Amino acid sequence: MEQFDYRRMAFYQIWIRSFADGNGDGIGDLYGVYDKLDYIASLGVDGIWFSPIYPSPNADYGYDISDYRNIHPDYGTLEQFRRVLDRAHSLGLRVIMDLVINHTSDEHPWFLESRKSRANPYSDYYIWRDPKWKGETRLPPNNWFSQFEGLAWEYCPERVQYYLHVFAKKQPDLNMDNPRVREEVKSIMRFWLDMGVDGFREDVITFISKHPQLPDGLPFLPVINGMPFYKDGPNLMTYLREFRAVALEYGAVQIGEAPMTPVKTAVNYLTGKDRVLDMMIQFDTMMADCFMTEYIHHPFSLPKLKRAFTKWQNALAGTGWNALYLENHDHPRVISRYGSEQFWRESGTMLAAAYLFQRGTPFIYQGQELGMTNIRLGSIEEYQDVATINTYHSFRRRQPEQKRLKHVHIASRDSARTPVQWSGEENAGFSPVKPWFAVNPNYREINAEKEEGDPESILNFYRRCLRLRKGSDTLLWGDYREYFPLHPQLYVYERSYGTERILVVCSFSGKELSWQLPGGYAWEGSALLLCNYREAPRRGLLRPYETQVLRWNTNP
Ligand code: NOJ
Ligand code: CA
């Protein structure tokens, strides 16, 4: 079946637990989602990506699935999901699900069986290995670290073996080399596609094929030392082709998450008629204030961000398609990182223009369109995320508590997981009762209700941007070119199509900034399409975090 044109679309990501509580128990759910579908459609997006909403013990809030064919009771029922799906479709919104198949929960029935013995129908569903013995001492099969929780191996006395978990202990990695596991994946895909969902965001999909020998990684590298042996592995293409065939039967779209996959490798997945993925969630644009992980922080560097943007734009020019994003449930809030909480409205709107007009399909994470910012909780006990908590306890063990907490304030994924701020009422209008997780205390200033009424708000600016993008062939299809790549505070990019050229000019400075049009441009004939200040802009001068979108047409 032919695919729908995802390239014209924009997606809104829902991390349901913190989106909207519809039945008043303090936890976001599908009743809340149903009530907010009109709001989502009003943004001008065309689809929703649901982070996992399946049954899960929540060791990693849904990314540890214990039943692939159901809805977590906290969030509703399959019936309610169907209602959401139907209504979303009737509003013109496509729906894509998170497909998490690198691992399951250790409470998934497959794993419960698998761990029982070496001889049962599920024994080979996971990656089991014998211990290494050093004299009497039992050691794990190799020296890999898990990304979330100590070593990547957990011992199981019943089997006298270890199982691999690249993420938390409660997330055992599936053995994708087992053809039966791949059949399970395909059948799960069909289950949701038969129901009418429109595609999948595929969790760490580039990790599913492991090096057959599972060799030791470099001992001095923490956390990611096994990555060269589980990322972009030898059979990845083969497996992705199998899944692709199922998706294409339904015309479904596939967006692969690919931490640390370099652009050179990515083009193999993303280009050509036989591509195995339509878009990729790359991580380069998340690294402008850190090294490998947000916990290794350095001051924000605009040139680094621009290099990442432009690298992906150029690599896929004419041959592939980008997924554009600045936030999701795995990263702190972008205003607190790349913008300025002091120039909150200005930087929140500028950042929208900095990425929404690039060539690709934009993803907007819940609350991003409101300009939600990082939360700073007083102690580690108040945090919820397994990665945050374990990193706090291990990564910088020798540092004093206040310093470690400061890292958490900068880096935690929990900043993206506070309840969405719908109004200035109690609990930010998210729920009538105390929510499952802390509400950011700034909800009286930053909330949807307040921003609805303000034409200059971040919320309404997102709407304007999405409308402009959708109505412009140049912004949808035009070539991308960057100017002044080394400028530390200015990001200028051009989109050109036929006789039209559009310049997107973004200041990342909290002070006034003078600038000049790039060579070949003149102010005559320019038209201002968009600006994030109400008062008219001045030529050659940008106010703090100002953005201007300018258009030229040589053949008006
Ligand atoms: C990527 C997901 O986005 C993240 O939230 C999760 O913790 C890991 N994959 C493991 O599933
Ligand atoms: Ca609820």
Side-chain angles (χ1 to χ4, degrees):
M1 202 200 229
E2 206 177 322
Q3 281 184 306
F4 53 92
D5 196 353
Y6 53 84
R7 298 171 307 169
R8 292 177 184 275
M9 296 172 58
F11 280 90
Y12 188 78
Q13 183 195 348
I14 293 182
W15 195 81
I16 197 167
R17 205 169 183 80
S18 288
F19 183 64
D21 175 16
N23 65 358
D25 63 356
I27 298 173
D29 51 47
L30 287 168
Y31 311 101
V33 171
Y34 189 90
D35 294 341
K36 298 291 184 196
L37 285 173
D38 288 310
Y39 166 83
I40 295 171
S42 83
L43 299 174
V45 299
D46 318 274
I48 296 171
W49 149 28
F50 277 104
S51 271
I53 56 178
Y54 319 102
S56 160
N58 281 339
D60 188 18
Y61 286 106
Y63 285 91
D64 49 321
I65 297 173
S66 54
D67 181 356
Y68 284 98
R69 292 181 175 79
N70 215 332
I71 300 295
H72 194 303
D74 283 351
Y75 308 143
T77 58
L78 272 175
E79 257 313 282
Q80 181 60 15
F81 176 72
R82 284 197 192 94
R83 271 185 222 119
V84 168
L85 184 63
D86 289 349
R87 174 131 177 82
H89 282 162
S90 74
L91 292 168
L93 298 169
R94 302 269 181 182
V95 173
I96 63 172
M97 299 295 269
D98 220 304
L99 186 70
V100 187
I101 48 140
N102 178 67
H103 44 266
T104 68
S105 162
D106 66 343
E107 296 180 34
H108 192 288
W110 300 338
F111 190 75
L112 296 178
E113 285 304 307
S114 189
R115 69 175 307 151
K116 279 186 190 157
S117 70
R118 297 187 190 203
N120 71 67
Y122 296 92
S123 78
D124 206 19
Y125 266 45
Y126 295 85
I127 302 178
W128 294 99
R129 289 291 185 277
D130 293 337
K132 257 192 198 162
W133 291 97
K134 206 172 177 188
E136 298 287 279
T137 320
R138 194 190 65 225
L139 295 171
N142 71 22
N143 70 354
W144 296 1
F145 289 103
S146 93
Q147 293 201 15
F148 286 175
E149 228 178 355
L151 293 178
W153 296 93
E154 198 61 17
Y155 185 63
C156 169
E158 292 92 327
R159 288 184 61 135
V160 198
Q161 279 189 317
Y162 286 85
Y163 70 84
L164 176 71
H165 62 92
V166 166
F167 294 95
K169 283 180 197 158
K170 285 182 71 62
Q171 292 171 297
D173 281 54
L174 281 163
N175 174 16
M176 209 54 71
D177 297 331
N178 179 347
R180 287 187 52 207
V181 172
R182 302 203 297 280
E183 289 312 311
E184 300 273 13
V185 171
K186 289 180 240 174
S187 133
I188 293 162
M189 291 174 77
R190 288 182 195 285
F191 176 84
W192 294 101
L193 293 170
D194 285 335
M195 200 182 297
V197 315
D198 301 288
F200 299 102
R201 175 270 187 190
E202 302 181 353
D203 189 64
V204 288
I205 197 69
T206 43
F207 289 10
I208 62 173
S209 162
K210 274 77 177 172
H211 188 293
Q213 269 86 48
L214 309 181
D216 274 342
L218 294 173
F220 52 85
L221 281 181
V223 181
I224 46 129
N225 71 336
M227 216 188 233
F229 308 109
Y230 60 71
K231 184 175 71 70
D232 302 308
N235 297 316
L236 181 58
M237 270 304 230
T238 313
Y239 302 161
L240 290 181
R241 266 190 218 112
E242 286 185 30
F243 304 151
R244 183 71 174 167
V246 177
L248 288 185
E249 270 177 47
Y250 295 80
V253 68
Q254 292 174 288
I255 303 141
E257 189 208 23
M260 311 289 165
T261 288
V263 78
K264 269 203 203 110
T265 312
V267 293
N268 300 329
Y269 310 137
L270 290 171
T271 59
K273 208 167 61 1
D274 298 327
R275 64 178 183 273
V276 287
L277 293 169
D278 299 299
M279 289 180 266
M280 184 166 270
I281 300 174
Q282 47 77 18
F283 277 54
D284 285 335
T285 42
M286 290 293 107
M287 302 288 144
D289 62 355
C290 61
F291 179 68
M292 309 267 250
T293 141
E294 276 96 347
Y295 287 90
I296 312 180
H297 179 73
H298 63 60
F300 168 66
S301 157
L302 179 62
K304 201 173 169 196
L305 180 65
K306 295 192 292 185
R307 269 199 305 281
F309 280 154
T310 300
K311 179 167 73 176
W312 282 86
Q313 288 290 307
N314 289 344
L316 298 181
T319 56
W321 199 250
N322 269 290
L324 310 169
Y325 77 100
L326 286 179
E327 280 191 14
N328 63 36
H329 64 293
D330 286 334
H331 304 281
R333 294 288 185 177
V334 73
I335 291 180
S336 307
R337 303 180 69 180
Y338 298 173
S340 155
E341 291 185 11
Q342 188 195 342
F343 292 100
W344 167 74
R345 195 199 64 80
E346 293 79 1
S347 69
T349 45
M350 179 281 291
L351 285 162
Y355 90 108
L356 291 174
F357 299 132
Q358 293 182 31
R359 184 172 173 277
T361 295
F363 287 73
I364 297 163
Y365 178 65
Q366 66 185 37
Q368 179 188 340
E369 80 283 13
L370 306 174
M372 283 176 63
T373 59
N374 282 359
I375 195 162
R376 293 172 184 91
L377 295 169
S379 80
I380 191 65
E381 281 69 43
E382 294 174 70
Y383 283 85
Q384 300 282 343
D385 165 38
V386 56
T388 303
I389 295 164
N390 286 313
T391 310
Y392 173 91
H393 287 302
S394 65
F395 194 58
R396 292 170 182 271
R397 200 174 296 152
R398 284 174 297 269
Q399 288 184 344
E401 189 186 326
Q402 277 317 309
K403 200 154 181 199
R404 283 195 277 164
L405 214 47
K406 219 174 130 196
H407 280 288
V408 168
H409 294 162
I410 290 171
S412 174
R413 319 194 277 185
D414 270 345
S415 275
R417 299 175 178 191
T418 60
V420 170
Q421 294 161 211
W422 294 108
S423 74
E425 282 161 40
E426 183 116 29
N427 307 318
F430 164 78
S431 170
V433 301
K434 190 169 181 278
W436 75 280
F437 185 36
V439 173
N440 194 312
N442 64 19
Y443 71 94
R444 288 188 204 279
E445 287 75 50
I446 301 177
N447 66 65
E449 193 176 75
K450 198 165 167 193
E451 294 189 39
E452 284 288 359
D454 173 6
E456 304 299 314
S457 66
I458 298 180
L459 171 60
N460 282 315
F461 194 80
Y462 268 86
R463 289 185 170 126
R464 283 158 70 194
C465 288
L466 290 175
R467 216 178 304 131
L468 183 61
R469 173 184 178 274
K470 201 178 274 180
S472 161
D473 279 337
T474 304
L475 294 176
L476 287 172
W477 316 117
D479 292 341
Y480 168 97
R481 177 174 175 188
E482 187 197 345
Y483 292 99
F484 319 122
L486 300 180
H487 197 296
Q489 287 162 323
L490 187 64
Y491 176 39
V492 179
Y493 64 98
E494 170 194 272
R495 304 292 312 279
S496 59
Y497 186 80
T499 57
E500 187 172 77
R501 287 192 294 178
I502 291 179
L503 267 194
V504 183
V505 183
C506 302
S507 165
F508 281 71
S509 168
K511 303 210 172 83
E512 284 198 344
L513 194 69
S514 53
W515 73 291
Q516 288 178 346
L517 286 173
Y521 275 90
W523 282 108
E524 285 60 51
S526 69
L528 183 71
L529 297 180
L530 198 66
C531 175
N532 60 345
Y533 277 79
R534 197 180 344 186
E535 304 75 29
R538 280 175 44 202
R539 288 179 176 178
L541 197 71
L542 293 168
R543 291 158 283 191
Y545 291 97
E546 180 164 354
T547 182
Q548 297 176 14
V549 181
L550 298 154
R551 169 178 171 270
W552 283 260
N553 197 337
T554 47
N555 191 11

